[in-house]
Amino acid sequence: MILFHITSGLAMDYFSLSNYVLLLIASITIILIAYSDLFGKVSFKSSGSLLAILLLLILLIARDKGWDLELYENIFNNVNEVGIGGWIEPGFQLLIIAVKSIGGNFLLFNIIYSLILCCLLYSIIKKDIRYASVAVLMFFLLYYFRGPYGQIRQALAMLIFIYSLRYIFDRKNLYISLNLIALMFHSVAIFGLFFIFLATKFKVTKKNYVVVISIFVALYFSGVFSNLLVYLIGLDSNPILMKVQFYLENANVKGGWLTPDFFKICVISFLILLIAPEFDKISPYKRVLILSFLTGSCLYMLLSFDLRLASRSSRLFLISEFLIIAMLFEYAKSKGKLFLFMLFYGSIYLLWEFYIMSKAEVIYSWS
């Protein structure tokens, strides 16, 4: 746990001392649960993953700081009616008004919202994932602080999308309905509505995966995508595309090609091709998780002319990474080596998160 010690000076602006102690206890416990699930004689299985999520819930409820926590408290205090077409989506406003209607304050709102997020996470990891506690660990290392701990609207939309993937083939209307609900909380969920067409038309095989990712990587390095800004900036303004238009018109986040998100794409793509069996040997649900990651990878590279737009747009799909990693342990010949590697991998992103929190801004490029 040296990781948390060396970052304490960096991240204290976003963690009070009590939060920091809880964070340390939670991180050690979640790692031990995942380790026991993989290697222990007595496996925690679902009960262990539930305990890990309960620890995340406690962290959410007890926090007094975070990426956007003060912003959301201000939003809560100022929302008294539902407005359409503004920066804050109507679903989030409705939930605020519902809490206020029973005399609740921001603490109650935060508790309710945190419960919803953690219940969704538990439902997600219970679906066709043998090592659920590993999924919780990777979620904690890779997404927890940029998601539930801070940017809670986007976190809810992303978790609803991941949850909806189980219905994408057999219950399409339910899939669409869930993503419409997600869209009520964050506009990034609009990509989920288009994903259903890709999932039903594109057959994800290892060969297709290699071909598609190779083409996009080649175009990414060639700089072809950098010219797209000229064409996209001319989009007509409308309420649905308001945020997209804002990011396009303010596109100024540049960087080298080796960014945190592109590094993620390279590492996970390599592991998928190295460890996963032929895709027709795994369940349709697991294949659609891989397709989600492939979609996010291509979307990131397509929009890489502005790293902020690329990162925020692709996150909806790339979040499937934490489930894919847990899935790969089912097929890995050396779970010990993979576990150590994934701890190292996750720690890189956790350290990076603490670093940019210390800078009080999201930084999209290591260069």
Side-chain angles (χ1 to χ4, degrees), residues 222-257:
S222 70
V224 169
F225 296 136
S226 62
N227 298 319
L228 285 177
L229 180 61
V230 177
Y231 302 99
L232 293 175
I233 200 70
L235 288 173
D236 293 331
S237 298
N238 60 72
I240 296 177
L241 295 175
M242 179 185 66
K243 292 186 180 181
V244 174
Q245 191 73 12
F246 172 82
Y247 288 127
L248 288 173
E249 291 174 353
N250 293 276
N252 57 8
V253 183
K254 304 297 182 183
W257 62 268

PDB file of all heavy atoms in Angstrom, residues 222-257:
ATOM      1  N   SER A 222      -1.401   8.158 -38.400  1.00  0.00           N
ATOM      2  CA  SER A 222      -1.199   8.937 -39.628  1.00  0.00           C
ATOM      3  C   SER A 222      -1.694  10.374 -39.502  1.00  0.00           C
ATOM      4  O   SER A 222      -1.354  11.227 -40.328  1.00  0.00           O
ATOM      5  CB  SER A 222      -1.916   8.256 -40.796  1.00  0.00           C
ATOM      6  OG  SER A 222      -3.326   8.361 -40.652  1.00  0.00           O
ATOM      7  N   GLY A 223      -2.527  10.637 -38.486  1.00  0.00           N
ATOM      8  CA  GLY A 223      -3.043  11.987 -38.290  1.00  0.00           C
ATOM      9  C   GLY A 223      -4.281  12.311 -39.094  1.00  0.00           C
ATOM     10  O   GLY A 223      -4.718  13.467 -39.132  1.00  0.00           O
ATOM     11  N   VAL A 224      -4.880  11.287 -39.736  1.00  0.00           N
ATOM     12  CA  VAL A 224      -6.063  11.519 -40.563  1.00  0.00           C
ATOM     13  C   VAL A 224      -7.199  12.124 -39.745  1.00  0.00           C
ATOM     14  O   VAL A 224      -7.894  13.045 -40.186  1.00  0.00           O
ATOM     15  CB  VAL A 224      -6.534  10.202 -41.217  1.00  0.00           C
ATOM     16  CG1 VAL A 224      -7.913  10.369 -41.853  1.00  0.00           C
ATOM     17  CG2 VAL A 224      -5.529   9.743 -42.254  1.00  0.00           C
ATOM     18  N   PHE A 225      -7.377  11.634 -38.526  1.00  0.00           N
ATOM     19  CA  PHE A 225      -8.515  12.074 -37.713  1.00  0.00           C
ATOM     20  C   PHE A 225      -8.391  13.528 -37.254  1.00  0.00           C
ATOM     21  O   PHE A 225      -9.383  14.145 -36.877  1.00  0.00           O
ATOM     22  CB  PHE A 225      -8.673  11.168 -36.489  1.00  0.00           C
ATOM     23  CG  PHE A 225      -9.000   9.740 -36.841  1.00  0.00           C
ATOM     24  CD1 PHE A 225      -8.351   8.690 -36.195  1.00  0.00           C
ATOM     25  CD2 PHE A 225      -9.939   9.434 -37.810  1.00  0.00           C
ATOM     26  CE1 PHE A 225      -8.647   7.371 -36.502  1.00  0.00           C
ATOM     27  CE2 PHE A 225     -10.239   8.125 -38.138  1.00  0.00           C
ATOM     28  CZ  PHE A 225      -9.592   7.088 -37.489  1.00  0.00           C
ATOM     29  N   SER A 226      -7.198  14.076 -37.294  1.00  0.00           N
ATOM     30  CA  SER A 226      -7.018  15.459 -36.839  1.00  0.00           C
ATOM     31  C   SER A 226      -7.736  16.449 -37.743  1.00  0.00           C
ATOM     32  O   SER A 226      -7.995  17.593 -37.345  1.00  0.00           O
ATOM     33  CB  SER A 226      -5.526  15.798 -36.777  1.00  0.00           C
ATOM     34  OG  SER A 226      -4.943  15.704 -38.069  1.00  0.00           O
ATOM     35  N   ASN A 227      -8.063  16.050 -38.972  1.00  0.00           N
ATOM     36  CA  ASN A 227      -8.740  16.950 -39.902  1.00  0.00           C
ATOM     37  C   ASN A 227     -10.256  16.957 -39.740  1.00  0.00           C
ATOM     38  O   ASN A 227     -10.940  17.764 -40.364  1.00  0.00           O
ATOM     39  CB  ASN A 227      -8.399  16.556 -41.347  1.00  0.00           C
ATOM     40  CG  ASN A 227      -6.911  16.675 -41.642  1.00  0.00           C
ATOM     41  OD1 ASN A 227      -6.275  17.632 -41.210  1.00  0.00           O
ATOM     42  ND2 ASN A 227      -6.361  15.715 -42.359  1.00  0.00           N
ATOM     43  N   LEU A 228     -10.794  16.064 -38.917  1.00  0.00           N
ATOM     44  CA  LEU A 228     -12.239  15.973 -38.774  1.00  0.00           C
ATOM     45  C   LEU A 228     -12.845  17.197 -38.107  1.00  0.00           C
ATOM     46  O   LEU A 228     -14.014  17.517 -38.334  1.00  0.00           O
ATOM     47  CB  LEU A 228     -12.605  14.730 -37.943  1.00  0.00           C
ATOM     48  CG  LEU A 228     -12.477  13.381 -38.649  1.00  0.00           C
ATOM     49  CD1 LEU A 228     -12.794  12.269 -37.665  1.00  0.00           C
ATOM     50  CD2 LEU A 228     -13.408  13.303 -39.848  1.00  0.00           C
ATOM     51  N   LEU A 229     -12.068  17.887 -37.298  1.00  0.00           N
ATOM     52  CA  LEU A 229     -12.582  19.046 -36.573  1.00  0.00           C
ATOM     53  C   LEU A 229     -13.152  20.097 -37.527  1.00  0.00           C
ATOM     54  O   LEU A 229     -14.168  20.723 -37.246  1.00  0.00           O
ATOM     55  CB  LEU A 229     -11.488  19.657 -35.705  1.00  0.00           C
ATOM     56  CG  LEU A 229     -11.877  20.883 -34.867  1.00  0.00           C
ATOM     57  CD1 LEU A 229     -12.980  20.529 -33.885  1.00  0.00           C
ATOM     58  CD2 LEU A 229     -10.672  21.434 -34.135  1.00  0.00           C
ATOM     59  N   VAL A 230     -12.513  20.268 -38.665  1.00  0.00           N
ATOM     60  CA  VAL A 230     -12.938  21.276 -39.638  1.00  0.00           C
ATOM     61  C   VAL A 230     -14.369  21.014 -40.100  1.00  0.00           C
ATOM     62  O   VAL A 230     -15.165  21.933 -40.280  1.00  0.00           O
ATOM     63  CB  VAL A 230     -11.980  21.278 -40.850  1.00  0.00           C
ATOM     64  CG1 VAL A 230     -12.470  22.275 -41.913  1.00  0.00           C
ATOM     65  CG2 VAL A 230     -10.575  21.612 -40.411  1.00  0.00           C
ATOM     66  N   TYR A 231     -14.712  19.729 -40.260  1.00  0.00           N
ATOM     67  CA  TYR A 231     -16.045  19.386 -40.746  1.00  0.00           C
ATOM     68  C   TYR A 231     -17.076  19.362 -39.618  1.00  0.00           C
ATOM     69  O   TYR A 231     -18.209  19.793 -39.778  1.00  0.00           O
ATOM     70  CB  TYR A 231     -15.997  18.017 -41.434  1.00  0.00           C
ATOM     71  CG  TYR A 231     -15.021  17.971 -42.583  1.00  0.00           C
ATOM     72  CD1 TYR A 231     -13.749  17.427 -42.428  1.00  0.00           C
ATOM     73  CD2 TYR A 231     -15.350  18.512 -43.832  1.00  0.00           C
ATOM     74  CE1 TYR A 231     -12.839  17.399 -43.482  1.00  0.00           C
ATOM     75  CE2 TYR A 231     -14.460  18.497 -44.885  1.00  0.00           C
ATOM     76  CZ  TYR A 231     -13.204  17.936 -44.705  1.00  0.00           C
ATOM     77  OH  TYR A 231     -12.316  17.920 -45.743  1.00  0.00           O
ATOM     78  N   LEU A 232     -16.684  18.873 -38.448  1.00  0.00           N
ATOM     79  CA  LEU A 232     -17.623  18.744 -37.341  1.00  0.00           C
ATOM     80  C   LEU A 232     -17.996  20.083 -36.729  1.00  0.00           C
ATOM     81  O   LEU A 232     -19.081  20.236 -36.166  1.00  0.00           O
ATOM     82  CB  LEU A 232     -17.025  17.835 -36.255  1.00  0.00           C
ATOM     83  CG  LEU A 232     -16.854  16.363 -36.652  1.00  0.00           C
ATOM     84  CD1 LEU A 232     -16.146  15.602 -35.530  1.00  0.00           C
ATOM     85  CD2 LEU A 232     -18.190  15.707 -36.952  1.00  0.00           C
ATOM     86  N   ILE A 233     -17.110  21.063 -36.837  1.00  0.00           N
ATOM     87  CA  ILE A 233     -17.368  22.361 -36.209  1.00  0.00           C
ATOM     88  C   ILE A 233     -18.560  23.050 -36.862  1.00  0.00           C
ATOM     89  O   ILE A 233     -19.177  23.951 -36.283  1.00  0.00           O
ATOM     90  CB  ILE A 233     -16.107  23.268 -36.295  1.00  0.00           C
ATOM     91  CG1 ILE A 233     -16.189  24.384 -35.244  1.00  0.00           C
ATOM     92  CG2 ILE A 233     -15.958  23.843 -37.691  1.00  0.00           C
ATOM     93  CD1 ILE A 233     -16.024  23.913 -33.851  1.00  0.00           C
ATOM     94  N   GLY A 234     -18.926  22.598 -38.074  1.00  0.00           N
ATOM     95  CA  GLY A 234     -20.040  23.209 -38.777  1.00  0.00           C
ATOM     96  C   GLY A 234     -21.395  22.619 -38.437  1.00  0.00           C
ATOM     97  O   GLY A 234     -22.400  22.975 -39.055  1.00  0.00           O
ATOM     98  N   LEU A 235     -21.469  21.724 -37.453  1.00  0.00           N
ATOM     99  CA  LEU A 235     -22.752  21.142 -37.052  1.00  0.00           C
ATOM    100  C   LEU A 235     -23.721  22.236 -36.605  1.00  0.00           C
ATOM    101  O   LEU A 235     -23.337  23.169 -35.912  1.00  0.00           O
ATOM    102  CB  LEU A 235     -22.547  20.148 -35.909  1.00  0.00           C
ATOM    103  CG  LEU A 235     -21.877  18.820 -36.247  1.00  0.00           C
ATOM    104  CD1 LEU A 235     -21.596  18.052 -34.960  1.00  0.00           C
ATOM    105  CD2 LEU A 235     -22.753  17.978 -37.174  1.00  0.00           C
ATOM    106  N   ASP A 236     -24.967  22.098 -37.021  1.00  0.00           N
ATOM    107  CA  ASP A 236     -25.978  23.061 -36.592  1.00  0.00           C
ATOM    108  C   ASP A 236     -26.214  22.933 -35.096  1.00  0.00           C
ATOM    109  O   ASP A 236     -26.300  21.835 -34.554  1.00  0.00           O
ATOM    110  CB  ASP A 236     -27.298  22.816 -37.334  1.00  0.00           C
ATOM    111  CG  ASP A 236     -27.173  23.129 -38.817  1.00  0.00           C
ATOM    112  OD1 ASP A 236     -26.348  23.998 -39.159  1.00  0.00           O
ATOM    113  OD2 ASP A 236     -27.896  22.502 -39.616  1.00  0.00           O
ATOM    114  N   SER A 237     -26.362  24.053 -34.418  1.00  0.00           N
ATOM    115  CA  SER A 237     -26.606  24.037 -32.981  1.00  0.00           C
ATOM    116  C   SER A 237     -28.034  23.585 -32.701  1.00  0.00           C
ATOM    117  O   SER A 237     -28.969  24.008 -33.373  1.00  0.00           O
ATOM    118  CB  SER A 237     -26.398  25.440 -32.388  1.00  0.00           C
ATOM    119  OG  SER A 237     -25.057  25.844 -32.581  1.00  0.00           O
ATOM    120  N   ASN A 238     -28.195  22.715 -31.723  1.00  0.00           N
ATOM    121  CA  ASN A 238     -29.508  22.301 -31.249  1.00  0.00           C
ATOM    122  C   ASN A 238     -29.336  21.768 -29.832  1.00  0.00           C
ATOM    123  O   ASN A 238     -28.217  21.464 -29.413  1.00  0.00           O
ATOM    124  CB  ASN A 238     -30.142  21.247 -32.165  1.00  0.00           C
ATOM    125  CG  ASN A 238     -29.305  19.986 -32.280  1.00  0.00           C
ATOM    126  OD1 ASN A 238     -29.228  19.218 -31.328  1.00  0.00           O
ATOM    127  ND2 ASN A 238     -28.658  19.786 -33.424  1.00  0.00           N
ATOM    128  N   PRO A 239     -30.423  21.672 -29.067  1.00  0.00           N
ATOM    129  CA  PRO A 239     -30.291  21.276 -27.655  1.00  0.00           C
ATOM    130  C   PRO A 239     -29.612  19.939 -27.454  1.00  0.00           C
ATOM    131  O   PRO A 239     -28.850  19.753 -26.503  1.00  0.00           O
ATOM    132  CB  PRO A 239     -31.750  21.243 -27.180  1.00  0.00           C
ATOM    133  CG  PRO A 239     -32.464  22.190 -28.081  1.00  0.00           C
ATOM    134  CD  PRO A 239     -31.792  22.040 -29.415  1.00  0.00           C
ATOM    135  N   ILE A 240     -29.866  18.974 -28.356  1.00  0.00           N
ATOM    136  CA  ILE A 240     -29.302  17.629 -28.181  1.00  0.00           C
ATOM    137  C   ILE A 240     -27.785  17.662 -28.341  1.00  0.00           C
ATOM    138  O   ILE A 240     -27.044  17.008 -27.613  1.00  0.00           O
ATOM    139  CB  ILE A 240     -29.934  16.635 -29.182  1.00  0.00           C
ATOM    140  CG1 ILE A 240     -31.430  16.477 -28.891  1.00  0.00           C
ATOM    141  CG2 ILE A 240     -29.237  15.282 -29.102  1.00  0.00           C
ATOM    142  CD1 ILE A 240     -32.151  15.572 -29.858  1.00  0.00           C
ATOM    143  N   LEU A 241     -27.318  18.443 -29.316  1.00  0.00           N
ATOM    144  CA  LEU A 241     -25.889  18.486 -29.611  1.00  0.00           C
ATOM    145  C   LEU A 241     -25.184  19.658 -28.915  1.00  0.00           C
ATOM    146  O   LEU A 241     -24.050  19.976 -29.236  1.00  0.00           O
ATOM    147  CB  LEU A 241     -25.662  18.576 -31.123  1.00  0.00           C
ATOM    148  CG  LEU A 241     -26.104  17.361 -31.946  1.00  0.00           C
ATOM    149  CD1 LEU A 241     -25.918  17.645 -33.431  1.00  0.00           C
ATOM    150  CD2 LEU A 241     -25.341  16.113 -31.548  1.00  0.00           C
ATOM    151  N   MET A 242     -25.874  20.300 -27.966  1.00  0.00           N
ATOM    152  CA  MET A 242     -25.327  21.500 -27.348  1.00  0.00           C
ATOM    153  C   MET A 242     -23.959  21.246 -26.731  1.00  0.00           C
ATOM    154  O   MET A 242     -23.019  22.000 -26.947  1.00  0.00           O
ATOM    155  CB  MET A 242     -26.279  22.018 -26.274  1.00  0.00           C
ATOM    156  CG  MET A 242     -25.775  23.271 -25.558  1.00  0.00           C
ATOM    157  SD  MET A 242     -26.847  23.766 -24.206  1.00  0.00           S
ATOM    158  CE  MET A 242     -26.647  22.401 -23.064  1.00  0.00           C
ATOM    159  N   LYS A 243     -23.840  20.158 -25.968  1.00  0.00           N
ATOM    160  CA  LYS A 243     -22.578  19.886 -25.288  1.00  0.00           C
ATOM    161  C   LYS A 243     -21.489  19.498 -26.290  1.00  0.00           C
ATOM    162  O   LYS A 243     -20.328  19.884 -26.144  1.00  0.00           O
ATOM    163  CB  LYS A 243     -22.766  18.797 -24.241  1.00  0.00           C
ATOM    164  CG  LYS A 243     -23.631  19.242 -23.070  1.00  0.00           C
ATOM    165  CD  LYS A 243     -23.671  18.203 -21.980  1.00  0.00           C
ATOM    166  CE  LYS A 243     -24.525  18.659 -20.819  1.00  0.00           C
ATOM    167  NZ  LYS A 243     -24.573  17.682 -19.718  1.00  0.00           N
ATOM    168  N   VAL A 244     -21.879  18.698 -27.295  1.00  0.00           N
ATOM    169  CA  VAL A 244     -20.911  18.319 -28.322  1.00  0.00           C
ATOM    170  C   VAL A 244     -20.390  19.568 -29.022  1.00  0.00           C
ATOM    171  O   VAL A 244     -19.185  19.723 -29.239  1.00  0.00           O
ATOM    172  CB  VAL A 244     -21.545  17.348 -29.343  1.00  0.00           C
ATOM    173  CG1 VAL A 244     -20.575  17.071 -30.482  1.00  0.00           C
ATOM    174  CG2 VAL A 244     -21.959  16.050 -28.663  1.00  0.00           C
ATOM    175  N   GLN A 245     -21.308  20.461 -29.365  1.00  0.00           N
ATOM    176  CA  GLN A 245     -20.922  21.696 -30.042  1.00  0.00           C
ATOM    177  C   GLN A 245     -19.992  22.535 -29.170  1.00  0.00           C
ATOM    178  O   GLN A 245     -19.026  23.124 -29.648  1.00  0.00           O
ATOM    179  CB  GLN A 245     -22.175  22.500 -30.405  1.00  0.00           C
ATOM    180  CG  GLN A 245     -21.920  23.664 -31.349  1.00  0.00           C
ATOM    181  CD  GLN A 245     -21.638  23.204 -32.766  1.00  0.00           C
ATOM    182  OE1 GLN A 245     -21.840  22.046 -33.090  1.00  0.00           O
ATOM    183  NE2 GLN A 245     -21.158  24.104 -33.601  1.00  0.00           N
ATOM    184  N   PHE A 246     -20.292  22.580 -27.874  1.00  0.00           N
ATOM    185  CA  PHE A 246     -19.451  23.346 -26.952  1.00  0.00           C
ATOM    186  C   PHE A 246     -18.023  22.803 -26.960  1.00  0.00           C
ATOM    187  O   PHE A 246     -17.054  23.567 -27.043  1.00  0.00           O
ATOM    188  CB  PHE A 246     -20.024  23.273 -25.543  1.00  0.00           C
ATOM    189  CG  PHE A 246     -19.119  23.868 -24.487  1.00  0.00           C
ATOM    190  CD1 PHE A 246     -19.097  25.236 -24.260  1.00  0.00           C
ATOM    191  CD2 PHE A 246     -18.283  23.059 -23.728  1.00  0.00           C
ATOM    192  CE1 PHE A 246     -18.264  25.790 -23.302  1.00  0.00           C
ATOM    193  CE2 PHE A 246     -17.446  23.602 -22.762  1.00  0.00           C
ATOM    194  CZ  PHE A 246     -17.444  24.976 -22.555  1.00  0.00           C
ATOM    195  N   TYR A 247     -17.884  21.467 -26.883  1.00  0.00           N
ATOM    196  CA  TYR A 247     -16.548  20.883 -26.858  1.00  0.00           C
ATOM    197  C   TYR A 247     -15.823  21.076 -28.187  1.00  0.00           C
ATOM    198  O   TYR A 247     -14.612  21.293 -28.226  1.00  0.00           O
ATOM    199  CB  TYR A 247     -16.634  19.393 -26.516  1.00  0.00           C
ATOM    200  CG  TYR A 247     -17.003  19.135 -25.071  1.00  0.00           C
ATOM    201  CD1 TYR A 247     -18.064  18.299 -24.745  1.00  0.00           C
ATOM    202  CD2 TYR A 247     -16.311  19.741 -24.031  1.00  0.00           C
ATOM    203  CE1 TYR A 247     -18.411  18.064 -23.417  1.00  0.00           C
ATOM    204  CE2 TYR A 247     -16.645  19.519 -22.708  1.00  0.00           C
ATOM    205  CZ  TYR A 247     -17.692  18.673 -22.405  1.00  0.00           C
ATOM    206  OH  TYR A 247     -18.040  18.452 -21.094  1.00  0.00           O
ATOM    207  N   LEU A 248     -16.590  21.011 -29.291  1.00  0.00           N
ATOM    208  CA  LEU A 248     -15.970  21.216 -30.595  1.00  0.00           C
ATOM    209  C   LEU A 248     -15.449  22.639 -30.748  1.00  0.00           C
ATOM    210  O   LEU A 248     -14.331  22.861 -31.215  1.00  0.00           O
ATOM    211  CB  LEU A 248     -16.983  20.908 -31.712  1.00  0.00           C
ATOM    212  CG  LEU A 248     -17.350  19.438 -31.932  1.00  0.00           C
ATOM    213  CD1 LEU A 248     -18.475  19.339 -32.938  1.00  0.00           C
ATOM    214  CD2 LEU A 248     -16.147  18.634 -32.404  1.00  0.00           C
ATOM    215  N   GLU A 249     -16.264  23.596 -30.351  1.00  0.00           N
ATOM    216  CA  GLU A 249     -15.884  24.992 -30.514  1.00  0.00           C
ATOM    217  C   GLU A 249     -14.744  25.385 -29.579  1.00  0.00           C
ATOM    218  O   GLU A 249     -14.063  26.386 -29.809  1.00  0.00           O
ATOM    219  CB  GLU A 249     -17.102  25.890 -30.281  1.00  0.00           C
ATOM    220  CG  GLU A 249     -18.152  25.754 -31.377  1.00  0.00           C
ATOM    221  CD  GLU A 249     -19.411  26.539 -31.079  1.00  0.00           C
ATOM    222  OE1 GLU A 249     -19.506  27.079 -29.948  1.00  0.00           O
ATOM    223  OE2 GLU A 249     -20.288  26.607 -31.957  1.00  0.00           O
ATOM    224  N   ASN A 250     -14.570  24.601 -28.513  1.00  0.00           N
ATOM    225  CA  ASN A 250     -13.494  24.899 -27.568  1.00  0.00           C
ATOM    226  C   ASN A 250     -12.413  23.814 -27.598  1.00  0.00           C
ATOM    227  O   ASN A 250     -11.710  23.596 -26.612  1.00  0.00           O
ATOM    228  CB  ASN A 250     -14.061  25.022 -26.156  1.00  0.00           C
ATOM    229  CG  ASN A 250     -14.964  26.223 -26.006  1.00  0.00           C
ATOM    230  OD1 ASN A 250     -14.522  27.330 -25.773  1.00  0.00           O
ATOM    231  ND2 ASN A 250     -16.277  26.002 -26.158  1.00  0.00           N
ATOM    232  N   ALA A 251     -12.329  23.141 -28.730  1.00  0.00           N
ATOM    233  CA  ALA A 251     -11.363  22.053 -28.861  1.00  0.00           C
ATOM    234  C   ALA A 251      -9.942  22.600 -28.827  1.00  0.00           C
ATOM    235  O   ALA A 251      -9.497  23.245 -29.768  1.00  0.00           O
ATOM    236  CB  ALA A 251     -11.608  21.287 -30.170  1.00  0.00           C
ATOM    237  N   ASN A 252      -9.275  22.363 -27.735  1.00  0.00           N
ATOM    238  CA  ASN A 252      -7.906  22.871 -27.605  1.00  0.00           C
ATOM    239  C   ASN A 252      -7.040  21.953 -26.760  1.00  0.00           C
ATOM    240  O   ASN A 252      -5.945  22.319 -26.364  1.00  0.00           O
ATOM    241  CB  ASN A 252      -7.914  24.281 -27.010  1.00  0.00           C
ATOM    242  CG  ASN A 252      -8.621  24.331 -25.663  1.00  0.00           C
ATOM    243  OD1 ASN A 252      -8.967  23.294 -25.109  1.00  0.00           O
ATOM    244  ND2 ASN A 252      -8.842  25.528 -25.153  1.00  0.00           N
ATOM    245  N   VAL A 253      -7.553  20.769 -26.445  1.00  0.00           N
ATOM    246  CA  VAL A 253      -6.792  19.846 -25.606  1.00  0.00           C
ATOM    247  C   VAL A 253      -5.987  18.921 -26.511  1.00  0.00           C
ATOM    248  O   VAL A 253      -6.521  17.948 -27.054  1.00  0.00           O
ATOM    249  CB  VAL A 253      -7.723  19.025 -24.683  1.00  0.00           C
ATOM    250  CG1 VAL A 253      -6.895  18.127 -23.775  1.00  0.00           C
ATOM    251  CG2 VAL A 253      -8.588  19.957 -23.856  1.00  0.00           C
ATOM    252  N   LYS A 254      -4.749  19.259 -26.711  1.00  0.00           N
ATOM    253  CA  LYS A 254      -3.883  18.485 -27.588  1.00  0.00           C
ATOM    254  C   LYS A 254      -2.870  17.704 -26.763  1.00  0.00           C
ATOM    255  O   LYS A 254      -2.660  17.969 -25.583  1.00  0.00           O
ATOM    256  CB  LYS A 254      -3.149  19.414 -28.561  1.00  0.00           C
ATOM    257  CG  LYS A 254      -4.079  20.292 -29.386  1.00  0.00           C
ATOM    258  CD  LYS A 254      -4.974  19.470 -30.284  1.00  0.00           C
ATOM    259  CE  LYS A 254      -5.873  20.365 -31.132  1.00  0.00           C
ATOM    260  NZ  LYS A 254      -6.807  19.585 -31.964  1.00  0.00           N
ATOM    261  N   GLY A 255      -2.212  16.773 -27.386  1.00  0.00           N
ATOM    262  CA  GLY A 255      -1.192  15.997 -26.697  1.00  0.00           C
ATOM    263  C   GLY A 255      -0.549  15.011 -27.649  1.00  0.00           C
ATOM    264  O   GLY A 255      -0.933  14.901 -28.811  1.00  0.00           O
ATOM    265  N   GLY A 256       0.421  14.286 -27.161  1.00  0.00           N
ATOM    266  CA  GLY A 256       1.065  13.267 -27.973  1.00  0.00           C
ATOM    267  C   GLY A 256       0.163  12.063 -28.166  1.00  0.00           C
ATOM    268  O   GLY A 256      -0.939  11.981 -27.632  1.00  0.00           O
ATOM    269  N   TRP A 257       0.639  11.093 -28.905  1.00  0.00           N
ATOM    270  CA  TRP A 257      -0.192   9.937 -29.213  1.00  0.00           C
ATOM    271  C   TRP A 257      -0.314   8.989 -28.030  1.00  0.00           C
ATOM    272  O   TRP A 257      -1.313   8.282 -27.873  1.00  0.00           O
ATOM    273  CB  TRP A 257       0.379   9.197 -30.424  1.00  0.00           C
ATOM    274  CG  TRP A 257       1.767   8.635 -30.203  1.00  0.00           C
ATOM    275  CD1 TRP A 257       2.944   9.248 -30.490  1.00  0.00           C
ATOM    276  CD2 TRP A 257       2.096   7.363 -29.655  1.00  0.00           C
ATOM    277  NE1 TRP A 257       3.998   8.445 -30.155  1.00  0.00           N
ATOM    278  CE2 TRP A 257       3.513   7.272 -29.639  1.00  0.00           C
ATOM    279  CE3 TRP A 257       1.357   6.281 -29.183  1.00  0.00           C
ATOM    280  CZ2 TRP A 257       4.179   6.152 -29.157  1.00  0.00           C
ATOM    281  CZ3 TRP A 257       2.022   5.160 -28.705  1.00  0.00           C
ATOM    282  CH2 TRP A 257       3.414   5.107 -28.701  1.00  0.00           C
TER     283      TRP A 257
END
